[in-house]
Amino acid sequence: MRFGFASAGWAGRIPAVSDGADNLYDTARQVLDTERRLGGVFLPAGQTLPGESAGNEAGPGDAQDKAAALATLEADAKQCTRCGLCRGRNNVVFGEGDPDADLVFIGEAPGQEEDRQGRPFVGRAGELLTKMIQAMGLTREDVYIANVLKCRPPNNRTPGADEISACWDHLVAQLAVIRPKVIVTMGNPATKTMLDTSTGITRLRGRWQSLPMIGEGLGGTAVMPTFHPAYVLRQYTADVRGKVWSDLQQVMDALGLPRT
Ligand code: URA
């Protein structure tokens, strides 16, 4: 879902860097190209598709292309054996939601229920995330939800650095297709990974950050770190809940969503 963005300097995108490691991104781009050409519209350089504007704003055509590109990436992720987590998984939890979402939530890794269903945030923490999204006046279908890791670590332990780096290309390729305007990172592993920082969530939450140049079109994307819903469930105080809500309200303001 594309919102009327309350545009600010930090949302501007830095020109793409070439990161040759990202084969998945190339695959996604190929799919987008193919969709365009085989969809019956040959696109001369510099011209936009019907329903697509010249800037970063996407139209209905883009949403279909993005869905196809994400489906290709998901099929690829389902075959992934880049780290040992593939041996214990029941399902790869790629992510779900609107392929053309302005807003992406990123968590840590699938838990037991997510591994069972193959969907992100469908356990207890997921119920709270769903409520958070609804409190913003949105539904899960309006946003995109993903994790740093696509496979469940045993006993829900914290992801290892080797696992994060093995899974990284999947996430970058996914984000390079969606190109959200705002990313909400939930908890320490997601925040530290996305921002490439050792600073903890308690210091970073509630303060706008800028995504490093991790992939084409992604550098400079606005990032709002907040507490992980599982932490909120453990520390269910008015203070913690109030902090998360204030972080989400900043996101709503940035996206031009009404505070009701
Ligand atoms: N916690 C996460 O970080 N991700 C999920 O998908 C579920 C719980």
Side-chain angles (χ1 to χ4, degrees):
M1 187 189 207
R2 294 268 148 186
F3 311 115
F5 195 36
S7 123
W10 41 258
R13 291 184 163 79
I14 296 163
V17 284
S18 133
D19 54 347
D22 203 347
N23 293 332
L24 288 175
Y25 178 76
D26 289 340
T27 310
R29 193 162 48 189
Q30 254 173 23
V31 174
L32 285 172
D33 274 355
T34 310
E35 289 289 316
R36 286 176 176 210
R37 286 165 202 278
L38 299 187
V41 186
F42 182 74
L43 202 62
Q47 201 172 311
T48 54
L49 286 167
E52 180 187 52
S53 66
N56 279 324
E57 294 301 315
D62 263 354
Q64 281 165 16
D65 293 348
K66 288 180 175 193
L70 288 179
T72 300
L73 294 174
E74 182 167 8
D76 187 89
K78 282 183 171 162
Q79 305 298 319
C80 185
T81 55
R82 291 183 195 177
C83 80
L85 296 181
C86 66
R87 289 192 287 277
R89 74 182 174 217
N90 290 303
N91 277 297
V92 169
V93 181
F94 182 69
E96 68 180 25
D98 181 356
D100 196 26
D102 274 349
L103 177 56
V104 169
F105 288 85
I106 300 183
E108 180 176 328
Q112 186 173 29
E113 193 54 28
E114 288 77 17
D115 174 62
R116 198 179 70 77
Q117 293 191 34
R119 297 179 55 210
F121 282 95
V122 287
R124 277 192 71 228
E127 276 172 31
L128 180 55
L129 176 61
T130 304
K131 283 186 191 154
M132 286 159 50
I133 292 168
Q134 287 167 348
M136 299 173 80
L138 302 171
T139 67
R140 283 175 68 112
E141 291 73 31
D142 294 327
V143 302
Y144 196 90
I145 304 171
N147 283 302
V148 170
L149 292 191
K150 308 298 183 206
C151 298
R152 182 189 181 209
N155 303 315
N156 300 341
R157 65 158 166 72
T158 304
D162 52 335
E163 293 157 354
I164 291 175
S165 73
C167 220
W168 180 239
D169 284 356
H170 293 300
L171 182 58
V172 172
Q174 198 167 26
L175 292 173
V177 169
I178 301 167
R179 290 215 193 186
K181 290 172 177 166
V182 174
I183 294 172
V184 173
T185 55
M186 299 178 289
N188 262 322
T191 302
K192 290 181 175 178
T193 301
M194 298 314 295
L195 298 177
D196 192 21
T197 181
S198 56
T199 306
I201 187 66
T202 308
R203 285 190 56 197
L204 285 177
R205 66 138 286 278
R207 292 159 52 188
W208 285 110
Q209 307 293 317
S210 181
L211 193 66
M213 288 189 283
I214 61 172
E216 190 166 332
L218 293 173
T221 302
V223 177
M224 174 54 72
T226 196
F227 291 132
H228 193 287
Y231 171 80
V232 180
L233 288 174
R234 285 195 305 272
Q235 303 289 325
Y236 205 70
T237 64
D239 178 55
V240 168
R241 279 180 285 150
K243 282 177 173 152
V244 171
W245 182 229
S246 128
D247 302 346
L248 296 181
Q249 284 185 311
Q250 288 196 65
V251 172
M252 290 164 67
D253 290 347
L255 291 172
L257 294 168
R259 289 196 189 198
T260 48

